[in-house]
Short mmCIF file of all heavy atoms in Angstrom, two decimals:
data_model
loop_
_atom_site.label_atom_id
_atom_site.label_comp_id
_atom_site.label_asym_id
_atom_site.label_seq_id
_atom_site.Cartn_x
_atom_site.Cartn_y
_atom_site.Cartn_z
N VAL A 104 -95.34 -3.64 21.63
CA VAL A 104 -95.90 -2.28 21.52
C VAL A 104 -95.68 -1.51 22.82
O VAL A 104 -95.30 -0.34 22.81
CB VAL A 104 -97.40 -2.33 21.16
CG1 VAL A 104 -98.04 -0.95 21.31
CG2 VAL A 104 -97.59 -2.85 19.74
N GLN A 105 -95.92 -2.18 23.92
CA GLN A 105 -95.72 -1.56 25.23
C GLN A 105 -94.26 -1.17 25.43
O GLN A 105 -93.95 -0.06 25.90
CB GLN A 105 -96.16 -2.54 26.33
CG GLN A 105 -96.20 -1.94 27.71
CD GLN A 105 -96.66 -2.96 28.75
OE1 GLN A 105 -95.88 -3.78 29.21
NE2 GLN A 105 -97.94 -2.91 29.09
N MET A 106 -93.34 -2.05 25.04
CA MET A 106 -91.92 -1.75 25.14
C MET A 106 -91.55 -0.54 24.29
O MET A 106 -90.85 0.38 24.76
CB MET A 106 -91.08 -2.96 24.70
CG MET A 106 -89.58 -2.73 24.77
SD MET A 106 -88.63 -4.07 23.97
CE MET A 106 -89.05 -5.45 25.02
N TYR A 107 -92.04 -0.53 23.05
CA TYR A 107 -91.71 0.57 22.14
C TYR A 107 -92.24 1.91 22.65
O TYR A 107 -91.52 2.92 22.68
CB TYR A 107 -92.26 0.31 20.74
CG TYR A 107 -92.09 1.50 19.84
CD1 TYR A 107 -90.85 1.81 19.29
CD2 TYR A 107 -93.17 2.35 19.57
CE1 TYR A 107 -90.68 2.93 18.48
CE2 TYR A 107 -93.01 3.47 18.77
CZ TYR A 107 -91.77 3.76 18.22
OH TYR A 107 -91.61 4.87 17.45
N LEU A 108 -93.51 1.94 23.06
CA LEU A 108 -94.10 3.21 23.52
C LEU A 108 -93.40 3.74 24.76
O LEU A 108 -93.15 4.94 24.87
CB LEU A 108 -95.59 3.01 23.80
CG LEU A 108 -96.49 2.83 22.57
CD1 LEU A 108 -97.92 2.54 22.99
CD2 LEU A 108 -96.43 4.06 21.67
N SER A 109 -93.07 2.85 25.69
CA SER A 109 -92.38 3.28 26.90
C SER A 109 -91.00 3.85 26.56
O SER A 109 -90.61 4.90 27.08
CB SER A 109 -92.24 2.11 27.88
OG SER A 109 -93.51 1.65 28.30
N LEU A 110 -90.27 3.16 25.69
CA LEU A 110 -88.95 3.64 25.29
C LEU A 110 -89.05 4.95 24.51
O LEU A 110 -88.27 5.89 24.74
CB LEU A 110 -88.24 2.60 24.43
CG LEU A 110 -87.72 1.34 25.14
CD1 LEU A 110 -87.28 0.31 24.12
CD2 LEU A 110 -86.58 1.68 26.09
N ALA A 111 -90.01 5.04 23.60
CA ALA A 111 -90.16 6.24 22.77
C ALA A 111 -90.51 7.46 23.60
O ALA A 111 -89.91 8.54 23.46
CB ALA A 111 -91.22 6.00 21.69
N MET A 112 -91.49 7.31 24.51
CA MET A 112 -91.91 8.45 25.32
C MET A 112 -90.82 8.86 26.31
O MET A 112 -90.55 10.04 26.52
CB MET A 112 -93.20 8.12 26.07
CG MET A 112 -94.40 7.88 25.17
SD MET A 112 -94.77 9.23 24.04
CE MET A 112 -94.17 8.53 22.49
N GLY A 113 -90.16 7.86 26.92
CA GLY A 113 -89.09 8.17 27.86
C GLY A 113 -87.91 8.84 27.19
O GLY A 113 -87.34 9.82 27.72
N SER A 114 -87.53 8.35 26.00
CA SER A 114 -86.39 8.93 25.28
C SER A 114 -86.72 10.34 24.80
O SER A 114 -85.88 11.25 24.87
CB SER A 114 -86.03 8.05 24.08
OG SER A 114 -85.69 6.74 24.50
N THR A 115 -87.93 10.53 24.30
CA THR A 115 -88.35 11.85 23.83
C THR A 115 -88.33 12.87 24.97
O THR A 115 -87.91 14.02 24.79
CB THR A 115 -89.76 11.78 23.22
OG1 THR A 115 -89.77 10.83 22.15
CG2 THR A 115 -90.18 13.14 22.67
N GLU A 116 -88.75 12.43 26.15
CA GLU A 116 -88.78 13.35 27.29
C GLU A 116 -87.37 13.79 27.68
O GLU A 116 -87.16 14.94 28.07
CB GLU A 116 -89.49 12.70 28.47
CG GLU A 116 -89.71 13.66 29.63
CD GLU A 116 -90.82 13.23 30.56
OE1 GLU A 116 -91.63 12.37 30.19
OE2 GLU A 116 -90.87 13.77 31.69
N CYS A 117 -86.41 12.89 27.58
CA CYS A 117 -85.01 13.26 27.89
C CYS A 117 -84.55 14.42 27.01
O CYS A 117 -83.96 15.39 27.49
CB CYS A 117 -84.09 12.06 27.68
SG CYS A 117 -84.25 10.74 28.89
N VAL A 118 -84.83 14.30 25.71
CA VAL A 118 -84.41 15.35 24.78
C VAL A 118 -85.22 16.62 24.99
O VAL A 118 -84.68 17.74 24.98
CB VAL A 118 -84.57 14.87 23.32
CG1 VAL A 118 -84.09 15.94 22.33
CG2 VAL A 118 -83.79 13.57 23.10
N LEU A 119 -86.53 16.47 25.23
CA LEU A 119 -87.38 17.65 25.40
C LEU A 119 -87.01 18.45 26.64
O LEU A 119 -87.07 19.69 26.63
CB LEU A 119 -88.85 17.22 25.49
CG LEU A 119 -89.86 18.37 25.53
CD1 LEU A 119 -89.86 19.14 24.21
CD2 LEU A 119 -91.26 17.86 25.83
N LEU A 120 -86.61 17.79 27.71
CA LEU A 120 -86.20 18.51 28.91
C LEU A 120 -84.94 19.35 28.66
O LEU A 120 -84.80 20.44 29.21
CB LEU A 120 -85.95 17.53 30.06
CG LEU A 120 -87.22 16.89 30.66
CD1 LEU A 120 -86.85 15.83 31.69
CD2 LEU A 120 -88.10 17.96 31.32
N ALA A 121 -84.05 18.84 27.79
CA ALA A 121 -82.88 19.64 27.40
C ALA A 121 -83.29 20.84 26.56
O ALA A 121 -82.76 21.94 26.70
CB ALA A 121 -81.89 18.76 26.63
N VAL A 122 -84.27 20.63 25.68
CA VAL A 122 -84.80 21.73 24.86
C VAL A 122 -85.45 22.80 25.74
O VAL A 122 -85.26 24.01 25.53
CB VAL A 122 -85.82 21.19 23.84
CG1 VAL A 122 -86.60 22.34 23.18
CG2 VAL A 122 -85.13 20.34 22.78
N MET A 123 -86.17 22.37 26.76
CA MET A 123 -86.82 23.32 27.68
C MET A 123 -85.79 24.10 28.48
O MET A 123 -86.00 25.27 28.82
CB MET A 123 -87.79 22.56 28.59
CG MET A 123 -88.97 21.96 27.85
SD MET A 123 -90.02 20.91 28.89
CE MET A 123 -90.89 22.15 29.85
N ALA A 124 -84.66 23.46 28.81
CA ALA A 124 -83.59 24.17 29.51
C ALA A 124 -83.01 25.25 28.61
O ALA A 124 -82.71 26.37 29.07
CB ALA A 124 -82.50 23.19 29.93
N TYR A 125 -82.85 24.95 27.32
CA TYR A 125 -82.35 25.95 26.37
C TYR A 125 -83.33 27.11 26.26
O TYR A 125 -82.93 28.28 26.18
CB TYR A 125 -82.13 25.31 25.00
CG TYR A 125 -81.71 26.30 23.94
CD1 TYR A 125 -80.42 26.82 23.91
CD2 TYR A 125 -82.63 26.73 22.97
CE1 TYR A 125 -80.04 27.74 22.93
CE2 TYR A 125 -82.25 27.65 22.00
CZ TYR A 125 -80.97 28.15 21.99
OH TYR A 125 -80.61 29.08 21.04
N ASP A 126 -84.62 26.80 26.25
CA ASP A 126 -85.65 27.85 26.20
C ASP A 126 -85.52 28.79 27.40
O ASP A 126 -85.60 30.02 27.26
CB ASP A 126 -87.04 27.20 26.18
CG ASP A 126 -88.16 28.21 26.36
OD1 ASP A 126 -88.35 29.04 25.44
OD2 ASP A 126 -88.82 28.19 27.41
N ARG A 127 -85.29 28.23 28.59
CA ARG A 127 -85.13 29.07 29.79
C ARG A 127 -83.82 29.88 29.71
O ARG A 127 -83.77 31.03 30.17
CB ARG A 127 -85.11 28.20 31.04
CG ARG A 127 -86.43 27.51 31.37
CD ARG A 127 -87.56 28.50 31.66
NE ARG A 127 -88.19 28.98 30.43
CZ ARG A 127 -88.81 30.13 30.29
NH1 ARG A 127 -88.86 30.97 31.31
NH2 ARG A 127 -89.37 30.50 29.15
N TYR A 128 -82.79 29.29 29.13
CA TYR A 128 -81.52 30.00 28.95
C TYR A 128 -81.71 31.24 28.07
O TYR A 128 -81.26 32.33 28.41
CB TYR A 128 -80.48 29.06 28.34
CG TYR A 128 -79.36 29.76 27.63
CD1 TYR A 128 -78.35 30.41 28.35
CD2 TYR A 128 -79.30 29.80 26.24
CE1 TYR A 128 -77.32 31.08 27.69
CE2 TYR A 128 -78.28 30.45 25.58
CZ TYR A 128 -77.29 31.10 26.31
OH TYR A 128 -76.29 31.76 25.65
N VAL A 129 -82.39 31.06 26.94
CA VAL A 129 -82.61 32.19 26.04
C VAL A 129 -83.49 33.24 26.71
O VAL A 129 -83.24 34.45 26.59
CB VAL A 129 -83.24 31.71 24.72
CG1 VAL A 129 -83.53 32.91 23.81
CG2 VAL A 129 -82.32 30.73 24.01
N ALA A 130 -84.53 32.79 27.42
CA ALA A 130 -85.46 33.72 28.06
C ALA A 130 -84.79 34.60 29.11
O ALA A 130 -85.10 35.78 29.23
CB ALA A 130 -86.61 32.94 28.70
N ILE A 131 -83.86 34.04 29.85
CA ILE A 131 -83.23 34.77 30.95
C ILE A 131 -81.94 35.47 30.53
O ILE A 131 -81.68 36.62 30.92
CB ILE A 131 -82.96 33.82 32.13
CG1 ILE A 131 -84.30 33.37 32.74
CG2 ILE A 131 -82.10 34.48 33.20
CD1 ILE A 131 -84.18 32.34 33.82
N CYS A 132 -81.15 34.81 29.70
CA CYS A 132 -79.86 35.38 29.30
C CYS A 132 -79.96 36.32 28.10
O CYS A 132 -79.11 37.20 27.93
CB CYS A 132 -78.86 34.26 29.00
SG CYS A 132 -78.53 33.18 30.41
N HIS A 133 -80.99 36.14 27.27
CA HIS A 133 -81.16 36.99 26.08
C HIS A 133 -82.63 37.40 25.95
O HIS A 133 -83.28 37.09 24.95
CB HIS A 133 -80.70 36.26 24.82
CG HIS A 133 -79.30 35.76 24.89
ND1 HIS A 133 -78.20 36.59 24.72
CD2 HIS A 133 -78.80 34.52 25.13
CE1 HIS A 133 -77.09 35.87 24.85
NE2 HIS A 133 -77.43 34.61 25.10
N PRO A 134 -83.17 38.08 26.96
CA PRO A 134 -84.62 38.38 26.97
C PRO A 134 -85.09 39.24 25.80
O PRO A 134 -86.21 39.05 25.32
CB PRO A 134 -84.81 39.10 28.31
CG PRO A 134 -83.47 39.63 28.66
CD PRO A 134 -82.49 38.63 28.14
#
């Protein structure tokens, strides 16, 4: 369970940080 939760949260954060970068791109480049 510990292995799964650590992998799941870490992997999700990788994708979410890319999503947040896209959000900043739209906010600044297409306000």
Side-chain angles (χ1 to χ4, degrees):
V104 169
Q105 189 179 81
M106 180 190 296
Y107 172 77
L108 288 176
S109 297
L110 288 170
M112 296 304 105
S114 301
T115 303
E116 187 159 344
C117 289
V118 182
L119 186 66
L120 287 174
V122 168
M123 294 174 75
Y125 176 75
D126 171 68
R127 293 298 84 206
Y128 157 74
V129 177
I131 292 175
C132 299
H133 304 283

